[in-house]
Amino acid sequence: MRPESAAPTATRPGAESGAERAGHALRGATRLHAFNRYEIKYLVDNAAVPALRERLARRLGRDSHAGVGGYGVWSVYYDTDDLRFYWEKIEGLRFRRKIRIRHYGDRTGIDDDTTVYVEIKQRVNRVTQKRRIAVPYRLARQLCDARAMIEHSEPQRAFVQEVLGLVSRLDLRPTAITGYQRQAFVGSGADLGLRVTLDTRVRGRDRDFHLGADAENRFIVPPSRSIMEVKANERVPYWLTDLAAEANLSVVRVSKYCQSVEVFGRAPRSVFHVPDDEPAPVVDRSGHELLTTGASAKD
């Protein structure tokens, strides 16, 4: 589910590029957003991306706000010192959540007035829920980093209080930044509510947590791989699962946040880690091996 912004999005004229405005326009139809969706993720070799993109374009419309080359997606994830949200994902809790600040578009030039989204993404059984508010970056940091109330409208009160309560009670801190280039396709007619995204150049960092920092990033998914995410309101259409099977795509339970935590050595590599050239042992939070390298796991 998605709530939108607490305070007015006081974006300075000219502060955002066309790609930034496009990315935000796609998600900014109202001030309050909420979504319930089913999600499936596939790992894709980059060599297969052009053909896959072409086939998706035959059945789905391109994201009209994103342009030909797609748009950047940058997120700051918050967690506890002992990585509570990370372990909830790894251990497959039926109810789990995470908090992040997200920006759509070019990360260069991000300043206090740039529109970003404060989001709570949670999983309830097999349904993914996302709620979010759009605010100027300075207010997002005031809420999540300074842990101070921000101005908001009445419909956004519960969400803002929930975020403030979580960051304060759990002592949440910035833990990882992820970024990637996204191309998105949307369904209509019989496929209304369907959204398919292709994320390439998935990278991140474990420091310099300002979204606009001129900081070095590292690939957290091998640069030869991309991630296709399928989001549907009720079910994934048969033509799309058939397409995935024909393309020999692998279903993965990958989390970009968890991938980043593991790549930067904050936790041992789990069964869900997208491997690089060096296989790593699969362990639980106590350091005990769960499965032998290469074994598969059920979502």
Side-chain angles (χ1 to χ4, degrees):
M1 302 191 248
R2 290 186 185 179
E4 273 294 344
S5 187
T9 54
T11 305
R12 188 182 71 245
E16 294 183 342
S17 68
E20 286 175 311
R21 290 192 298 272
H24 289 302
L26 174 65
R27 298 158 184 79
T30 68
R31 306 310 306 152
L32 185 66
H33 289 290
F35 302 94
N36 283 344
R37 279 177 171 163
Y38 295 93
E39 289 187 0
I40 300 177
K41 297 178 182 178
Y42 297 91
L43 200 59
V44 184
D45 287 328
N46 282 353
V49 167
L52 185 59
R53 186 169 53 225
E54 182 181 339
R55 293 192 64 181
L56 288 170
R58 292 178 198 163
R59 297 291 300 256
L60 303 172
R62 287 186 182 271
D63 183 327
S64 60
H65 298 283
V68 177
Y71 51 89
V73 181
W74 292 90
S75 305
V76 182
Y77 287 89
Y78 289 74
D79 210 334
T80 62
D81 280 344
D82 60 358
L83 302 176
R84 171 176 174 163
F85 295 160
Y86 166 84
W87 286 110
E88 287 180 353
K89 165 67 176 179
I90 295 302
E91 295 174 355
L93 268 62
R94 290 182 177 273
F95 174 80
R96 57 184 185 266
R97 58 189 165 185
K98 53 194 172 191
I99 290 180
R100 65 194 179 198
I101 296 176
R102 172 163 284 190
H103 171 72
Y104 296 93
D106 186 353
R107 70 186 176 95
T108 60
I110 294 177
D111 61 19
D112 282 352
D113 294 323
T114 301
T115 301
V116 299
Y117 292 86
V118 178
E119 298 185 344
I120 294 178
K121 186 175 182 181
Q122 63 191 39
R123 177 97 166 196
V124 181
N125 294 321
R126 295 185 63 83
V127 177
T128 298
Q129 302 175 337
K130 184 166 73 171
R131 295 172 290 139
R132 70 186 192 176
I133 60 173
V135 292
Y137 192 24
R138 59 184 167 78
L139 292 186
R141 297 201 312 278
Q142 179 181 326
L143 178 62
C144 296
D145 295 336
R147 304 173 190 179
M149 179 57 71
I150 61 175
E151 59 176 298
H152 57 274
S153 64
E154 187 58 35
Q156 298 141 9
R157 178 179 298 277
F159 178 81
V160 173
Q161 290 179 334
E162 182 180 357
V163 171
L164 184 58
L166 285 170
V167 296
S168 301
R169 186 176 73 254
L170 299 179
D171 191 24
L172 300 182
R173 305 295 176 96
T175 303
I177 284 185
T178 65
Y180 42 89
Q181 190 70 11
R182 168 164 285 183
Q183 292 188 313
F185 301 84
V186 292
S188 59
D191 293 327
L192 189 65
L194 178 66
R195 182 173 174 83
V196 182
T197 56
L198 286 168
D199 297 336
T200 59
R201 294 181 51 77
V202 184
R203 52 213 188 275
R205 61 183 186 267
D206 63 346
R207 63 201 69 193
D208 299 319
F209 292 117
H210 190 287
L211 281 168
D214 184 17
E216 182 179 352
N217 292 289
R218 173 180 171 185
F219 283 106
I220 58 173
V221 170
S224 61
R225 302 289 187 91
S226 297
I227 296 174
M228 183 174 84
E229 295 187 13
V230 177
K231 303 175 180 72
N233 291 342
E234 295 182 1
R235 64 173 182 81
V236 177
Y238 291 121
W239 70 262
L240 187 51
T241 55
D242 289 344
L243 171 60
E246 291 169 18
N248 199 28
L249 302 185
S250 304
V251 175
V252 291
R253 191 182 146 189
V254 65
S255 158
K256 298 181 184 78
Y257 168 60
C258 293
Q259 189 79 9
S260 183
V261 166
E262 294 169 7
V263 163
F264 290 106
R266 293 289 305 277
R269 296 190 175 187
S270 67
V271 291
F272 313 116
H273 189 85
V274 177
D276 48 25
D277 293 335
E278 285 296 322
V282 176
V283 298
D284 63 13
R285 75 162 79 192
S286 303
H288 300 118
E289 187 167 336
L290 294 175
L291 294 171
T292 57
T293 301
S296 60
K298 230 183 238 187
D299 190 355

